[in-house]
Every structure is written in C-alpha cells, then in structure tokens.
Amino acid sequence: MAQDVARQVVDQVRTSFGLELSTMESVTSGADQYARLWLAEAADGGRYAVKLSGGGTRAGLVVTAFLAEQGVPGIVAPLRADDGRLSVDHDGRRLSVVPWVSGQRALGGPMTSAHWRAYGELLAAVHAAPVTDELSRLLPAGGAAYPSIVTATRAMAARLRDPAPADLANPLVAELAGVWSAVADRLGVLTREVERRAVDQRDRPGANVVCHGDPHLGNLLLGGDGQVWLIDWDDAVLAPPECDLMFVLGGVLAFAPITGEQQQAVLAGYGRTDVDPVRLAWFLAVRALDDLSDWTRQALDLDAEPADRSQAARIVRGLVSQAGLVTLADAALRDLDRRR
C-alpha cells in the first residue's frame, strides 16, 4: 500500500510540477498523523521534501511563499505547480513540493548558541512581516478553536472516568484512565480558566501577527554556521506573538526543555519583547488541553498501529509530568492569581 501511494505521488509530481523524481524515501520523524513526507531526489540531483497534508489548511503554503518573497530568513518557498498553484489535490490531501534544505532537526541537536539566536531572529522576522488582505482572509485566529478543545477534553475525561465494558479489558485504557484521574483537579482548573480568560483575550487583544503556531524544536531544521529553517506551517495563524513565544518562554516539549541560557539566546535574537503573561498563560493552557486530549485519543485508537499508540501514550505521560505542558500551564495560571 505504501509503495503504491509513493508511486502515485511520483506520477503526480511529474504531471503537476514537471519534476522527474528518481527516488523517494519515507521520512518518519514527524508527529503529524495526517501527513506523509518523503525525501525525494530528482533526475538532475536536486532534493525535495514531498508532502501529503491532511491537517491544517493551504494557508501554510501561502504564508511560506509570501515570507520567502519578503526575504525572511529560514523560510523555504514551495514549488509552484504548472498551473501556478502551491499544492495539488491527491486523494483528498494537499500534495506539495519544497526544496530539501536539511535533515537535521533541532530536537536531534546539537544546537549552538548561534542556532538559538537565529531561531529568535527568525521568529522576529516572521512576526514583523506585513499582514496582507489575503493572509487576513486565509489564516485562522490563534486559539479560536478553544471551545472545541475544551469540549474534547471534557468528553475524554468522561470517557476515562467511566470506561465502557470493552475498554476495561484494554490495559492502555486502564493506564490512561489512571493518568487522567491523577491530574483531574489540574485539568478542571485549566478548562475553567481557558473559558474564563477567553473573555479577556477578546477584551484586550494584542497586535495580531503572522504566527507559525507550532514552532517547537521538532519543526526547526539546523544548518551550518548557525543557520536554521522553520518548517511545517500547516497550523499557521494570526495571533499575538505570545502564541509562538510560549514555545520558548513557557516550555512545551517535556522531553526537550529549554534552559534559561537558551531562552536568553533566543530573546537576544528576537529583540525587544513586551510579553503579556496573561496571553502567554492562556495560550499555554489551550495548547496543553489540545495536546492532552488529542494524544490520548490517538493512544486509544484501536485502528492505529500498536507502535503509534504506544508513542502517543508516552507523549501523554510526558504532558502530565513535572516538566510537562499540563504542569507548566497550570503553574502559569496560578502565577497570574498570585500577581493580583
């Protein structure tokens, strides 16, 4: 099946992009369950990232094309199809082709101080880009999906609090039910605070800028001389800068925490910041609920591969750990209360 899909993609890349691919190698390092990625080599020796995307919107490709035209460093422009489009439909998913710049993800390191500073410079350049009428139409608002995220969180909590008889025989269900039970109080705080403080977001909105929406180290590629590239723009949004900066200031990946020294290097590259702690805490809380409910859903998906379910369960455990996002978001919200 996988080989059939790859052959079909090779044919469509040739037909739609005029690019003759000689090899296609599957890349499995990403965490996006709705995407498939290949490292492809063309007959002329050029290398490309060929991607099938089922999540997000086509706006991500529009954003990267625009940012590259603006000269933003660390942005790779997608190739255009023969008809000028940035992607073509392939069995209900978006097929895109982007020049391959590096296979070294920042998660695999090592990131030098120059890389950390370049990361900040890149985020600053993205946030400084003009917001065109087209981007305003295409990009969703950051955090706008919070009502559905809260609903999904409460539904998952109810499912694990009262598992169906068929679920009780599944060890993974029992384990995750225990995980959710242990953090039930914190999740209650997060869901209530996300809803309550959403009103504050509307009443005191920050300046909306182009945000990547998911600029963690898994989406950052490393090059020589401190060069970095930010990839996977499927979740691009219009939002206050805190939507992106929370990945540096708040900490998102439990298995790859950012140290104070690394934060300072990023901020040195970013330049002057006036971070709103309320917005930062709110975006952290929304992300925490979204990640926890979605990764738990993937862990409980009986149609998924066992290895994928195990990986999802590991991520869930990390989210509720002492260094995890649920813990960090809860602490950020409680800190707001102490400041009052």
Side-chain angles (χ1 to χ4, degrees):
M1 178 67 73
Q3 290 181 340
D4 290 341
V5 172
R7 281 195 294 268
Q8 294 167 9
V9 168
V10 168
D11 290 341
Q12 190 158 10
V13 168
R14 180 177 59 252
T15 301
S16 300
F17 292 88
L19 195 61
E20 190 71 44
L21 301 180
S22 55
T23 64
M24 287 264 287
E25 177 184 345
S26 180
V27 178
T28 58
S29 57
D32 186 351
Q33 63 170 325
Y34 303 110
R36 294 194 62 178
L37 178 67
W38 294 270
L39 165 57
E41 186 167 329
D44 63 2
R47 300 205 301 171
Y48 300 89
V50 177
K51 185 176 182 180
L52 280 178
S53 301
T57 70
R58 70 181 183 88
L61 293 169
V62 176
V63 169
T64 52
F66 172 73
L67 293 177
E69 290 173 1
Q70 294 290 307
V72 174
I75 304 297
V76 188
L79 271 61
R80 291 188 179 273
D82 293 341
D83 60 4
R85 289 181 296 167
L86 296 170
S87 66
V88 296
D89 179 77
H90 180 88
D91 195 23
R93 290 189 285 181
R94 296 182 305 280
L95 174 61
S96 61
V97 182
V98 178
W100 184 273
V101 291
S102 172
Q104 181 61 57
R105 290 181 182 257
L107 276 180
M111 279 188 75
T112 65
S113 58
H115 284 126
W116 286 108
R117 185 182 181 96
Y119 179 26
E121 292 171 347
L122 171 50
L123 289 178
V126 169
H127 295 166
V131 178
T132 65
D133 290 341
E134 181 182 27
L135 294 181
S136 294
R137 289 193 305 269
L138 289 177
L139 290 177
Y146 83 87
S148 62
I149 292 170
V150 167
T151 298
T153 302
R154 287 179 170 147
M156 184 59 71
R159 174 183 175 183
L160 292 175
R161 189 168 53 245
D162 186 21
D167 284 339
L168 291 174
N170 189 321
L172 194 54
V173 175
E175 179 194 351
L176 293 178
V179 168
W180 277 64
S181 176
V183 296
D185 290 344
R186 274 186 281 169
L187 292 181
V189 170
L190 289 182
T191 52
R192 290 191 298 271
E193 288 296 287
V194 162
E195 290 180 313
R196 183 172 74 86
R197 294 185 184 277
V199 177
D200 294 338
Q201 304 306 306
R202 291 192 296 267
D203 292 344
R204 48 195 290 277
N208 281 338
V209 299
V210 175
C211 286
H212 180 279
D214 199 26
H216 58 71
L217 300 186
N219 286 331
L220 195 70
L221 301 180
L222 306 182
D225 299 323
Q227 188 170 10
V228 298
W229 295 271
L230 191 55
I231 61 171
D232 290 346
W233 286 76
D234 290 342
D235 296 317
V237 292
L238 283 181
E242 287 86 355
C243 182
D244 278 347
L245 291 176
M246 71 171 174
F247 289 83
V248 176
L249 300 176
V252 171
L253 301 181
F255 55 89
I258 297 178
T259 67
E261 182 179 357
Q262 292 163 347
Q263 286 182 0
Q264 289 306 309
V266 176
L267 294 178
Y270 190 87
R272 184 179 180 275
T273 58
D274 186 16
V275 175
D276 185 325
V278 176
R279 279 197 292 268
L280 186 69
W282 188 78
F283 278 116
L284 278 169
V286 172
R287 176 67 184 230
L289 295 179
D290 193 17
D291 278 4
L292 186 65
S293 59
D294 190 57
W295 284 111
T296 301
R297 176 190 61 78
Q298 293 182 52
L300 299 179
D301 183 2
L302 296 178
D303 294 328
E305 293 293 330
D308 293 336
R309 297 183 65 202
S310 295
Q311 178 193 26
R314 285 195 298 272
I315 292 174
V316 170
R317 296 184 206 107
L319 287 166
V320 301
S321 70
Q322 287 302 307
L325 184 52
V326 170
T327 304
L328 295 172
D330 180 58
L333 289 170
R334 294 181 187 278
D335 187 54
L336 294 179
D337 292 333
R338 286 193 293 270
R339 295 186 185 195
R340 289 191 302 184

